[in-house]
Amino acid sequence: MPKIGQLELTSVEDFDFRLLIKALGKGEKGSRSLTFAEASLLIQGFAKGKVTKAQMASAMMLMRVRGETVAEVAGVVAGLKHTINPAWGELNVDIDWPVYAGKREQLPWLLLVAKLLARKGMRIMLHGDSQALPHRRHVESCIQALDIALCQTAEKAQQALDDSGIVYVPAGDLAPVLDDCRLLHQELGLRSIIQTASRCMNPSNAPLSLRSFFHPGLDELHQKVAEKLFTEDVYQQGVVGIFKGLQGETEINPRVTTDVQVVKYSGENVQFSAFELPTLLEGFSGAKVGQAELAIEILAQLWRTEWHNQANNTLSVELTELTATMPCSMIKQALSSVEATLCFVLSLLDVLQSNSIVIPEKLALAQQWWAGRLDSNTFPEPNSLTLFESLNTSSTCAKDKLCTV
């Protein structure tokens, strides 16, 4: 049997998991962190009922107090992937999109990006846990507005991907042990290693995986975890894009400059790179008040709204209806999030294909794709009004008041 540290690791069925708790909590001088293999065995043991709730809670809390290591996080990810039905890994998915943070008040504008990418022929798998932070607005509560299917089995997910190119899967249906872990860390009242590891599962083994964080320092942790998972053959070849998301969610914040860290593995060695997404709303103010009251139907309304009348460049009827519901500054922020997030994904696709990234070109392409979303084969004329130009034709919009007919 392989000997890791001071422990001889056996099968999940035969191992004495008290030894792992002892290793973590043996006192100031005697305790140590878990190895990659030990962390993987721990979560597999909990999934099979060989690790008790008390033991798992103790391990989670001890790791949290000391600070989880790269080996521990990566090991838990590897262990989670061992518990996932292999059928999920056989799905044909282009982009793995974890959505676990939720947002404090805004709607998940990222869904508009995911839907657009699916319309352009890419296959998107969203997954998250809407119960982890129940006070937030989660993607799961909004997918119905855009006709995105929620699927609990790989077979149904495959059908949804074939039909529309996009699917959402609850984390507990991918790895049921995550539901048990969530109940534990909610009872403890602490963040846990599970909240980081669940974002890193990439259950479908997609070649492009997105990774967001909020707390300082987690960017470096995610980079090292991705590297470890590539080198341990847990991840296949591909790219992981890491960034500080809007309120922690997997969506670009257009109000700030965003640094994106990229980890790429092509089968030989792990490569690191980075690029910067500039702010799209320099000096922008407003649009914060009232977002919590927005109905989820706004997502569908944004999707189907034509910004102007092509014939005479006047505000369209649909846009007038939309601005009766949302202040123009709020619309600007939402659409800036869409364009920035789409630019981010398009840039990562270039990295995946070993192309150089030219951010202004990707931003222009993102704006073009969004403008032509209702007809994937045609795009607006080059001299047609942009959204911002359309909104700025109304003096009431400039004052951030509700635009009325």
Side-chain angles (χ1 to χ4, degrees):
M1 294 293 178
K3 197 169 184 180
I4 308 295
Q6 299 299 313
L7 300 180
E8 184 176 304
L9 299 186
T10 60
S11 67
V12 172
E13 287 73 19
D14 298 333
F15 187 71
D16 183 356
F17 285 95
R18 292 177 300 178
L19 298 175
L20 295 184
I21 311 306
K22 185 177 181 179
L24 287 166
K26 200 176 179 181
E28 183 177 352
K29 295 183 178 180
S31 64
R32 62 174 176 83
S33 60
L34 299 184
T35 66
F36 174 85
E38 290 168 345
S40 177
L41 195 69
L42 175 68
I43 194 68
Q44 292 180 67
F46 188 48
K48 291 187 175 183
K50 300 298 180 179
V51 173
T52 68
K53 290 183 179 180
Q55 288 172 330
M56 191 64 195
S58 297
M60 290 164 60
M61 186 160 54
L62 287 167
M63 286 187 281
R64 171 88 299 226
V65 170
R66 189 194 63 251
E68 297 90 347
T69 66
V70 170
E72 287 172 337
V73 176
V76 170
V77 176
L80 286 173
K81 287 184 75 69
H82 276 295
T83 72
I84 295 174
N85 186 324
W88 290 108
E90 296 170 0
L91 296 178
N92 178 15
V93 175
D94 297 310
I95 302 176
D96 168 62
W97 203 317
V99 283
Y100 287 80
K103 294 168 83 174
R104 287 189 291 273
E105 65 279 329
Q106 296 182 22
L107 290 166
W109 311 120
L110 67 93
L111 282 178
L112 296 167
V113 179
K115 185 176 177 71
L116 176 55
L117 288 166
R119 188 178 178 91
K120 298 295 289 185
M122 289 168 229
R123 296 164 69 89
I124 317 294
M125 181 171 170
L126 302 147
H127 54 96
D129 183 356
S130 61
Q131 301 302 312
L133 297 168
H135 60 287
R136 291 197 171 198
R137 274 192 155 180
H138 285 273
V139 163
E140 183 175 328
S141 66
C142 300
I143 56 175
Q144 187 175 2
L146 290 172
D147 297 320
I148 296 172
L150 183 153
C151 296
Q152 297 175 301
T153 67
E155 293 75 17
K156 291 183 178 179
Q158 180 66 63
Q159 187 61 55
L161 288 165
D162 291 341
D163 291 343
S164 62
I166 187 170
V167 66
Y168 173 88
V169 183
D173 291 310
L174 294 168
V177 69
L178 288 176
D179 286 338
D180 297 325
C181 290
R182 184 223 313 133
L183 292 175
L184 284 181
H185 69 65
Q186 285 180 335
E187 184 176 354
L188 293 172
L190 296 171
R191 282 185 56 83
S192 77
I193 192 171
I194 302 301
Q195 290 170 297
T196 301
S198 58
R199 290 164 164 79
C200 305
M201 289 188 296
N202 191 0
S204 61
N205 298 316
L208 174 56
S209 187
L210 311 184
R211 201 79 76 246
S212 65
F213 66 92
F214 181 77
H215 298 286
L218 287 182
D219 52 344
E220 183 177 356
L221 175 65
H222 276 294
Q223 289 176 63
K224 292 180 178 179
V225 167
E227 179 185 18
K228 181 71 171 176
L229 292 169
F230 277 128
T231 57
E232 293 285 348
D233 294 325
V234 177
Y235 283 172
Q236 300 174 3
Q237 297 180 28
V239 166
V240 178
I242 303 160
F243 69 104
K244 182 176 181 179
L246 179 54
Q247 299 179 6
E249 192 52 284
T250 322
E251 177 181 308
I252 299 294
N253 184 354
R255 289 173 174 259
V256 300
T257 298
T258 300
D259 294 317
V260 180
Q261 307 299 321
V262 182
V263 183
K264 181 178 180 179
Y265 182 63
S266 57
E268 297 181 358
N269 53 22
V270 178
Q271 299 174 332
F272 299 91
S273 60
F275 61 89
E276 182 182 274
L277 294 172
T279 176
L280 299 186
L281 294 173
E282 193 72 49
F284 185 77
S285 62
K288 289 188 176 181
V289 178
Q291 293 216 29
E293 287 73 41
L294 288 179
I296 62 173
E297 289 75 17
I298 288 293
L299 288 166
Q301 197 171 1
L302 274 169
W303 175 262
R304 65 174 180 261
T305 294
E306 292 281 7
W307 306 122
H308 62 275
N309 185 311
Q310 291 273 356
N312 55 21
N313 278 343
T314 60
L315 295 180
S316 67
V317 174
E318 293 91 346
L319 180 56
T320 304
E321 292 175 350
L322 180 63
T323 53
T325 305
M326 296 175 70
C328 295
S329 60
M330 200 179 292
I331 298 174
K332 288 182 178 182
Q333 179 171 299
L335 269 297
S336 293
S337 291
V338 169
E339 292 177 353
T341 303
L342 183 53
C343 176
F344 160 70
V345 177
L346 291 174
S347 298
L348 289 176
L349 289 171
D350 269 2
V351 175
L352 187 63
Q353 298 166 8
S354 298
N355 297 327
S356 60
I357 302 173
V358 182
I359 295 300
E361 291 182 3
K362 291 302 162 214
L363 182 57
L365 182 60
Q367 293 168 341
Q368 185 186 41
W369 277 23
W370 173 255
R373 70 198 176 283
L374 301 180
D375 185 348
S376 59
N377 296 318
T378 60
F379 295 101
E381 294 297 324
N383 61 351
S384 61
L385 290 178
T386 66
L387 167 64
F388 286 8
E389 290 169 337
S390 297
L391 291 174
N392 288 335
T393 61
S394 170
S395 60
T396 54
C397 290
K399 296 178 182 179
D400 195 35
K401 295 180 180 179
L402 286 177
C403 304
T404 57
V405 178

